[in-house]
Coordinates of all heavy atoms in Angstrom, one line a residue:
G1592 N -20.5 -5.3 1.6 CA -20.3 -6.1 0.4 C -19.3 -7.2 0.6 O -18.5 -7.2 1.6
P1593 N -19.2 -8.1 -0.3 CA -18.2 -9.2 -0.2 C -16.8 -8.8 -0.3 O -15.9 -9.6 0.0 CB -18.6 -10.2 -1.3 CG -19.3 -9.3 -2.3 CD -20.0 -8.3 -1.5
T1594 N -16.5 -7.6 -0.8 CA -15.1 -7.1 -0.9 C -14.9 -6.0 0.1 O -14.0 -5.1 -0.1 CB -14.8 -6.7 -2.3 OG1 -15.7 -5.6 -2.7 CG2 -14.9 -7.8 -3.3
D1595 N -15.6 -6.0 1.2 CA -15.4 -5.1 2.3 C -14.5 -5.8 3.4 O -14.8 -7.0 3.7 CB -16.7 -4.7 3.0 CG -17.4 -3.6 2.2 OD1 -16.9 -3.1 1.2 OD2 -18.6 -3.3 2.6
F1596 N -13.5 -5.2 3.9 CA -12.6 -5.7 4.8 C -12.4 -4.8 6.0 O -12.3 -3.6 5.8 CB -11.2 -6.1 4.2 CG -11.4 -7.0 3.0 CD1 -11.6 -6.5 1.7 CD2 -11.3 -8.4 3.2 CE1 -11.8 -7.3 0.6 CE2 -11.4 -9.2 2.1 CZ -11.7 -8.7 0.8
Y1597 N -12.4 -5.3 7.2 CA -12.4 -4.4 8.4 C -11.1 -4.6 9.2 O -10.7 -5.7 9.5 CB -13.6 -4.8 9.2 CG -14.9 -4.7 8.4 CD1 -15.5 -5.9 7.9 CD2 -15.5 -3.5 8.2 CE1 -16.6 -5.8 7.2 CE2 -16.7 -3.4 7.5 CZ -17.3 -4.6 6.9 OH -18.4 -4.5 6.2
L1598 N -10.6 -3.5 9.6 CA -9.3 -3.5 10.4 C -9.6 -3.5 11.9 O -8.8 -4.0 12.7 CB -8.5 -2.2 10.1 CG -7.9 -2.2 8.7 CD1 -7.5 -0.8 8.3 CD2 -6.7 -3.1 8.7
S1599 N -10.8 -3.1 12.3 CA -11.2 -3.0 13.7 C -12.7 -3.0 13.8 O -13.4 -2.3 13.1 CB -10.6 -1.8 14.4 OG -11.1 -1.6 15.7
E1600 N -13.2 -3.9 14.7 CA -14.7 -3.9 14.9 C -15.2 -2.6 15.4 O -16.3 -2.1 15.0 CB -15.1 -5.1 15.8 CG -14.9 -6.4 15.2 CD -15.9 -6.7 14.0 OE1 -17.0 -6.1 14.0 OE2 -15.5 -7.4 13.1
Q1601 N -14.4 -2.0 16.3 CA -14.9 -0.8 17.0 C -14.3 0.5 16.5 O -14.5 1.6 17.0 CB -14.6 -0.9 18.5 CG -15.2 -2.1 19.1 CD -16.7 -2.2 19.0 OE1 -17.4 -1.2 19.1 NE2 -17.3 -3.4 18.7
G1602 N -13.4 0.4 15.4 CA -12.8 1.6 14.9 C -11.6 2.1 15.6 O -11.2 3.3 15.6
S1603 N -10.9 1.2 16.4 CA -9.7 1.6 17.1 C -8.6 1.8 16.2 O -8.2 0.9 15.4 CB -9.4 0.5 18.1 OG -8.0 0.6 18.5
A1604 N -7.9 3.0 16.2 CA -6.8 3.3 15.4 C -5.6 2.4 15.7 O -4.8 2.0 14.9 CB -6.4 4.7 15.4
E1605 N -5.5 2.0 17.0 CA -4.4 1.1 17.5 C -4.6 -0.2 16.8 O -3.6 -0.8 16.3 CB -4.4 1.0 19.0 CG -3.9 2.3 19.7 CD -5.0 3.3 19.9 OE1 -6.1 3.1 19.5 OE2 -4.6 4.4 20.4
E1606 N -5.8 -0.8 16.9 CA -6.0 -2.1 16.3 C -5.9 -2.0 14.8 O -5.4 -2.9 14.1 CB -7.4 -2.6 16.7 CG -7.7 -4.0 16.3 CD -9.0 -4.5 16.7 OE1 -9.8 -3.7 17.3 OE2 -9.3 -5.7 16.5
G1607 N -6.4 -0.9 14.2 CA -6.3 -0.7 12.7 C -4.8 -0.7 12.3 O -4.4 -1.3 11.3
A1608 N -4.0 0.0 13.0 CA -2.5 0.1 12.7 C -1.9 -1.3 12.8 O -1.1 -1.7 12.0 CB -1.8 1.1 13.6
R1609 N -2.3 -2.1 13.8 CA -1.7 -3.4 14.0 C -2.0 -4.3 12.8 O -1.2 -5.2 12.5 CB -2.3 -4.0 15.3 CG -1.7 -5.3 15.7 CD -2.3 -5.8 17.0 NE -2.4 -4.8 18.0 CZ -3.5 -4.4 18.7 NH1 -4.6 -5.1 18.4 NH2 -3.5 -3.5 19.5
H1610 N -3.2 -4.2 12.2 CA -3.6 -5.1 11.2 C -3.4 -4.5 9.8 O -3.6 -5.2 8.8 CB -5.0 -5.5 11.3 CG -5.3 -6.2 12.6 ND1 -4.7 -7.4 13.0 CD2 -6.1 -5.9 13.6 CE1 -5.1 -7.8 14.1 NE2 -6.0 -6.9 14.6
L1611 N -3.0 -3.3 9.6 CA -3.0 -2.6 8.4 C -2.1 -3.3 7.3 O -2.5 -3.6 6.2 CB -2.5 -1.1 8.5 CG -2.4 -0.3 7.3 CD1 -3.7 -0.2 6.5 CD2 -1.8 1.1 7.6
F1612 N -0.8 -3.5 7.6 CA 0.1 -4.0 6.7 C -0.3 -5.5 6.3 O -0.1 -5.9 5.1 CB 1.5 -3.9 7.2 CG 2.1 -2.5 7.2 CD1 3.1 -2.2 8.0 CD2 1.6 -1.6 6.3 CE1 3.7 -0.9 8.0 CE2 2.1 -0.3 6.3 CZ 3.2 0.0 7.2
D1613 N -0.7 -6.2 7.3 CA -1.1 -7.6 7.0 C -2.3 -7.7 6.0 O -2.2 -8.4 5.0 CB -1.5 -8.3 8.3 CG -1.9 -9.7 8.1 OD1 -1.4 -10.4 7.2 OD2 -2.7 -10.3 8.9
L1614 N -3.3 -6.8 6.2 CA -4.4 -6.8 5.3 C -4.1 -6.2 4.0 O -4.6 -6.7 2.9 CB -5.6 -6.1 6.0 CG -7.0 -6.4 5.4 CD1 -7.2 -7.9 5.2 CD2 -8.0 -5.8 6.4
L1615 N -3.3 -5.2 3.9 CA -2.8 -4.7 2.6 C -2.1 -5.8 1.8 O -2.3 -5.9 0.6 CB -1.9 -3.5 2.8 CG -2.5 -2.1 3.0 CD1 -1.4 -1.1 3.3 CD2 -3.4 -1.7 1.9
R1616 N -1.3 -6.6 2.4 CA -0.6 -7.6 1.8 C -1.5 -8.7 1.2 O -1.4 -9.2 0.1 CB 0.5 -8.3 2.7 CG 1.8 -7.5 2.9 CD 2.6 -8.1 3.9 NE 4.0 -7.6 3.9 CZ 5.0 -8.1 3.2 NH1 4.8 -9.3 2.6 NH2 6.2 -7.6 3.2
Q1617 N -2.5 -9.0 2.1 CA -3.5 -10.0 1.6 C -4.3 -9.5 0.4 O -4.4 -10.3 -0.6 CB -4.5 -10.3 2.8 CG -3.9 -11.1 3.9 CD -5.0 -11.3 5.0 OE1 -6.1 -11.8 4.7 NE2 -4.6 -11.1 6.2
L1618 N -4.7 -8.3 0.4 CA -5.5 -7.7 -0.7 C -4.7 -7.6 -1.9 O -5.2 -7.7 -3.0 CB -6.1 -6.4 -0.3 CG -7.1 -6.4 0.9 CD1 -7.6 -5.0 1.2 CD2 -8.2 -7.3 0.7
D1619 N -3.4 -7.4 -1.8 CA -2.5 -7.2 -2.9 C -2.3 -8.5 -3.7 O -1.9 -8.5 -4.9 CB -1.1 -6.7 -2.4 CG -0.4 -6.0 -3.5 OD1 -1.0 -5.4 -4.4 OD2 0.9 -6.0 -3.5
T1620 N -2.7 -9.7 -3.2 CA -2.6 -10.9 -3.8 C -3.9 -11.4 -4.4 O -3.9 -12.5 -5.0 CB -2.1 -12.0 -2.9 OG1 -3.1 -12.3 -1.9 CG2 -0.8 -11.6 -2.2
R1621 N -5.0 -10.7 -4.3 CA -6.3 -11.2 -4.7 C -6.9 -10.6 -6.0 O -8.1 -10.7 -6.2 CB -7.3 -11.0 -3.5 CG -6.8 -11.7 -2.3 CD -7.8 -11.6 -1.1 NE -9.1 -12.0 -1.4 CZ -10.1 -12.1 -0.5 NH1 -9.8 -11.9 0.8 NH2 -11.3 -12.5 -0.9
G1622 N -6.0 -10.0 -6.8 CA -6.5 -9.5 -8.1 C -7.4 -8.3 -8.1 O -8.1 -8.1 -9.1
F1623 N -7.3 -7.5 -7.1 CA -8.1 -6.3 -7.1 C -7.5 -5.2 -8.0 O -6.3 -5.2 -8.2 CB -8.3 -5.7 -5.7 CG -9.2 -6.5 -4.8 CD1 -8.7 -7.3 -3.8 CD2 -10.6 -6.5 -5.0 CE1 -9.5 -8.0 -3.0 CE2 -11.4 -7.3 -4.2 CZ -10.9 -8.0 -3.2
D1624 N -8.3 -4.4 -8.6 CA -7.8 -3.3 -9.4 C -7.6 -2.1 -8.6 O -6.8 -1.2 -9.0 CB -8.9 -2.9 -10.5 CG -9.2 -4.0 -11.4 OD1 -8.2 -4.6 -12.0 OD2 -10.4 -4.4 -11.6
L1625 N -8.2 -2.0 -7.4 CA -8.1 -0.8 -6.6 C -8.4 -1.2 -5.1 O -9.3 -2.0 -4.9 CB -9.1 0.3 -7.0 CG -9.2 1.5 -6.2 CD1 -7.9 2.4 -6.4 CD2 -10.4 2.4 -6.7
I1626 N -7.7 -0.6 -4.2 CA -8.0 -0.8 -2.8 C -8.4 0.6 -2.3 O -7.6 1.6 -2.3 CB -6.8 -1.3 -2.0 CG1 -6.3 -2.6 -2.5 CG2 -7.1 -1.3 -0.5 CD1 -5.0 -3.1 -1.9
Q1627 N -9.6 0.8 -1.8 CA -10.1 2.0 -1.3 C -9.9 1.9 0.3 O -10.5 1.0 0.9 CB -11.5 2.3 -1.6 CG -11.8 2.6 -3.1 CD -13.2 2.9 -3.4 OE1 -14.1 2.4 -2.8 NE2 -13.4 3.9 -4.3
A1628 N -9.1 2.8 0.9 CA -8.8 2.7 2.3 C -9.3 3.9 3.1 O -9.1 5.0 2.6 CB -7.3 2.5 2.4

Side-chain angles (χ1 to χ4, degrees):
T1594 59
D1595 285 352
F1596 302 88
Y1597 305 98
L1598 290 160
S1599 169
E1600 289 293 327
Q1601 304 302 322
S1603 162
E1605 288 81 5
E1606 188 178 6
R1609 188 179 312 128
H1610 298 302
L1611 176 62
F1612 287 156
D1613 182 29
L1614 201 43
L1615 278 177
R1616 281 173 167 266
Q1617 291 183 45
L1618 298 181
D1619 203 28
T1620 67
R1621 296 183 57 172
F1623 289 106
D1624 301 306
L1625 178 68
I1626 300 169
Q1627 293 184 322

